Amino acid sequence: MGTTEIRKVGVVGLGTMGAGIAQVCVQAGVETVGREISAELGEKAREKIAHFLGRAVEKERMTAKERDAALGRLALTTEIADFADCDLVIEAAFEDIAVKHELFEALDATVREDAILATNTSALSVTQIAAASRKPERVVGMHFFNPAPLMPLVEIVRAQRTSEEVVDAAYAFAQRVGKEPIRCNDTPGFVVNRILIPLLNDCVRVLDEAGVSVEDLDKAMRFGAGWPMGPTALLDLVGIDVHVHASEAIWSGLREPRMAPPPRLKAMADAGLLGRKTGRGFFEYDD
Ligand code: CAA
């Protein structure tokens, strides 16, 4: 297991993360099949990938021929059965343990014995997800960061029963597609979110405590701490709902008050002010 060369990759779920991961794979020359629950959602993801590759052509970072070849490597499906010949399947579906369990059972019944099953979860335990598989040794976390095509890091998460061979194969694959992987244990938030989520929560608390505007808070962290983007702009990019969910999951694992989402973020999530994807969060967007 895990020694097979990864020739074909499956991606389950083509939302922001899944579409980004599929883009990374096809750009790196890997045949990829992406699965969405409807053909329309699949097509929307393909259009998004085509848009970003088109921008790369406009900026002369890629030729039109390379873009067409990359898009040609992307197949779309609505059927899990189409993952039968994949060497690696990366799950990037909704962050709900019941959804993940159903998917991993279906994947288990579909893929070859030596295929690797990875999850891009950021909020759930990889060990708990792997428990739905008859072969938890082949289940590993591959946690990409948003936006996946731009962020170099991939956390390779070793769950309780993941084999070292599978960890190594996932690590090597991440390197092959141009990423900078690290290895870590399956603890709440892994490495980056364990640090970044309470930090972003603190930033939101400081908004009220320090009587600073949203714009000035972002300015403070960009120009005083060298962040590439301000904390509220980052929360809008990640999605307020995604952040609140991940924050609650880390809080339930560690029970440290800083891990819990501030009421202001929960209220935004309840009000549908989710950031870029709904056109309004801390800021307004028209794209
Ligand atoms: N999404 C966005 N842009 C993409 C893209 C994609 N999927 N694929 C390609 N691109 C291209 C765009 O087309 C764009 O070029 P154009 O403007 O010409 O169209 C280019 O990449 C990005 O250009 P920018 O000028 O916006 O790039 P930048 O230099 O400002 O950097 C950034 C953007 C990389 C997002 C940077 O601001 C950054 O590093 N921000 C921090 C992001 C971060 O911390 N992410 C982690 C979030 S936490 C997380 O993800 C964990 C979790 O589990 C929730």
Side-chain angles (χ1 to χ4, degrees), residues 123-204:
L124 303 172
S125 142
V126 180
T127 303
Q128 221 183 332
I129 294 172
S133 169
R134 276 176 293 116
K135 289 182 73 178
E137 306 79 29
R138 64 155 149 198
V139 180
V140 65
M142 285 187 79
H143 184 216
F144 290 75
F145 289 78
N146 187 4
L150 305 184
M151 299 298 287
L153 183 68
V154 182
E155 291 171 333
I156 306 297
V157 185
R158 201 189 291 117
Q160 285 295 327
R161 296 177 65 184
T162 316
S163 78
E164 272 311 309
E165 209 183 348
V166 164
V167 168
D168 290 346
Y171 187 98
F173 180 74
Q175 280 186 317
R176 189 178 134 205
V177 295
K179 296 297 179 192
E180 294 286 349
I182 61 162
R183 292 177 174 84
C184 61
N185 287 341
D186 183 27
T187 48
F190 314 133
V191 176
V192 171
N193 280 349
R194 167 70 178 78
I195 297 163
L196 186 60
I197 285 186
L199 203 49
L200 289 172
N201 287 342
D202 277 348
C203 288
V204 172

Side-chain angles (χ1 to χ4, degrees), residues 12 35 79-81 83-84 89 91 93 96-113 117-119 126-136 138-139:
V12 188
R35 184 255 188 181
E79 305 293 332
I80 293 282
F83 290 130
V89 178
E91 172 274 317
D96 178 288
I97 193 70
V99 171
K100 308 267 193 200
H101 274 176
E102 201 179 306
L103 276 170
F104 274 76
E105 277 165 24
L107 288 169
D108 234 25
T110 305
V111 300
R112 280 196 326 268
E113 282 288 297
L117 299 180
T119 174
V126 180
T127 303
Q128 221 183 332
I129 294 172
S133 169
R134 276 176 293 116
K135 289 182 73 178
R138 64 155 149 198
V139 180

